[in-house]
Amino acid sequence: KYMISRSFGLAGDYMFVRERPRIEHFNQGFPSTLDPVDVQLARFGITFDRPWISLTSMVSYIYKSNNKSQTRFYKMIAGEMEVQTRLMIYGIATTGWTTDINLKPFEHFSLHLLTTLQDPKYVNYATTLTFSDGITETYDYSGKKVKGVPRFLMEIDPSYSRDKWRVWLSARYFSKHYANMPNTVYFNGHWETFGGFDYTFNEHISAKLNIVNILNQTGANGSIAAADLMTDTSILKHYLMSGSYIRPFTVEASVRFSF
């Protein structure tokens, strides 16, 4: 970190992490590799600090090599879903831009803002499969966007505290993200909203009221593995499946006693 002035400066760092193979990498009956998993992170940006604002904005590059996963590939043959499992060893790389701001425009009030723009993609993710219909095909997802990961994220967290009580809100936005490796199926962007009221009676008793999904958003997220080899993804329309979904509107109250 280098301060050009009392409030404005430059910041950057580099991190390298190496992880050797773990025993569970060898327990699926597939040959693995002794190559380590390497993670490299490089960041550079600016900082600005004043009593009413703290800002950090950085551009970063992340590369992770030798990811290992047991990947299931699905193909519909004669009306039946056939599954093949492969040990995939691949990399993931992304360039990102993150800005983190903490504001205190007046007494008792604070506002946290966080935005991230990223573009994670698969590196050397390819395999050749032969299904029971005798057809051999090579599937190469190198350069495709990583499924289940949005490109844009935003977080807005205002709060107001005074004496024994605190009121807070939190809104997080996740942009459209792909549900399969060919990037032909996606989930729409959505908000996740929270809020609450905290009150401290004394050093032993406090109470909280939390609200989940204030906007009552609905939808799904994650991935659809069965869609990785689909050439006609229209069959997924109105198709019922299990998965991860946004939490419903919920009100939670709690009291804490400590002695």
Side-chain angles (χ1 to χ4, degrees):
K1 185 175 181 178
Y2 177 76
M3 299 304 297
I4 298 175
S5 67
R6 185 175 179 180
S7 302
F8 179 77
L10 303 176
D13 61 5
Y14 174 78
M15 180 177 68
F16 177 82
V17 178
R18 168 161 288 183
E19 178 184 303
R20 294 294 178 180
R22 299 190 301 270
I23 190 67
E24 59 263 30
H25 294 155
F26 301 87
N27 67 353
Q28 299 295 327
F30 291 89
S32 187
T33 174
L34 295 177
D35 294 338
V37 176
D38 291 339
V39 179
Q40 300 183 62
L41 165 64
R43 297 184 298 181
F44 182 78
I46 62 172
T47 64
F48 183 77
D49 289 299
R50 297 288 290 172
W52 60 276
I53 183 174
S54 176
L55 179 149
T56 302
S57 184
M58 306 190 80
V59 175
S60 60
Y61 177 77
I62 304 174
Y63 176 69
K64 183 179 181 182
S65 66
N66 296 319
N67 288 274
K68 302 175 183 67
S69 67
Q70 296 290 336
T71 305
R72 291 179 173 84
F73 295 90
Y74 300 79
K75 185 177 181 180
M76 188 69 71
I77 301 175
E80 298 290 335
M81 187 70 75
E82 185 173 325
V83 182
Q84 289 201 24
T85 303
R86 289 290 184 274
L87 174 67
M88 302 300 299
I89 302 174
Y90 59 95
I92 294 177
T94 184
T95 300
W97 177 26
T98 299
T99 300
D100 191 302
I101 304 174
N102 286 286
L103 294 169
K104 295 181 179 179
F106 52 88
E107 191 177 8
H108 306 299
F109 178 80
S110 64
L111 176 63
H112 174 242
L113 303 171
L114 177 66
T115 61
T116 298
L117 184 64
Q118 58 188 0
D119 192 24
K121 294 181 179 180
Y122 293 111
V123 179
N124 298 324
Y125 200 120
T127 188
T128 300
L129 301 173
T130 301
F131 286 90
S132 60
D133 56 5
I135 298 177
T136 299
E137 296 186 34
T138 297
Y139 300 93
D140 189 351
Y141 300 123
S142 302
K144 296 293 185 180
K145 293 178 175 55
V146 176
K147 63 181 181 180
V149 181
R151 293 191 65 190
F152 177 72
L153 302 99
M154 179 170 60
E155 186 172 334
I156 306 172
D157 304 309
S159 67
Y160 186 86
S161 303
R162 190 160 189 169
D163 298 326
K164 295 183 177 182
W165 55 273
R166 172 176 175 261
V167 179
W168 61 273
L169 293 171
S170 180
R172 305 167 190 171
Y173 179 73
F174 301 82
S175 68
K176 178 184 81 172
H177 58 277
Y178 292 101
N180 66 342
M181 291 181 182
N183 296 167
T184 54
V185 180
Y186 64 88
F187 293 119
N188 292 323
H190 69 276
W191 285 91
E192 294 184 2
T193 48
F194 309 85
F197 176 82
D198 304 343
Y199 186 82
T200 302
F201 295 93
N202 52 51
E203 60 179 334
H204 302 295
I205 305 174
S206 61
K208 292 184 178 182
L209 178 69
N210 295 334
I211 304 175
V212 178
N213 198 355
I214 298 173
L215 299 179
N216 198 27
Q217 292 261 289
T218 60
N221 55 51
S223 62
I224 304 175
D228 287 337
L229 304 186
M230 285 185 178
T231 55
D232 179 16
T233 56
S234 64
I235 63 174
L236 293 175
K237 189 175 183 179
H238 305 305
Y239 185 83
L240 183 64
M241 65 183 68
S242 62
S244 300
Y245 300 91
I246 301 172
R247 287 185 64 184
F249 176 80
T250 308
V251 178
E252 305 168 339
S254 63
V255 177
R256 181 179 180 181
F257 300 89
S258 59
F259 297 97

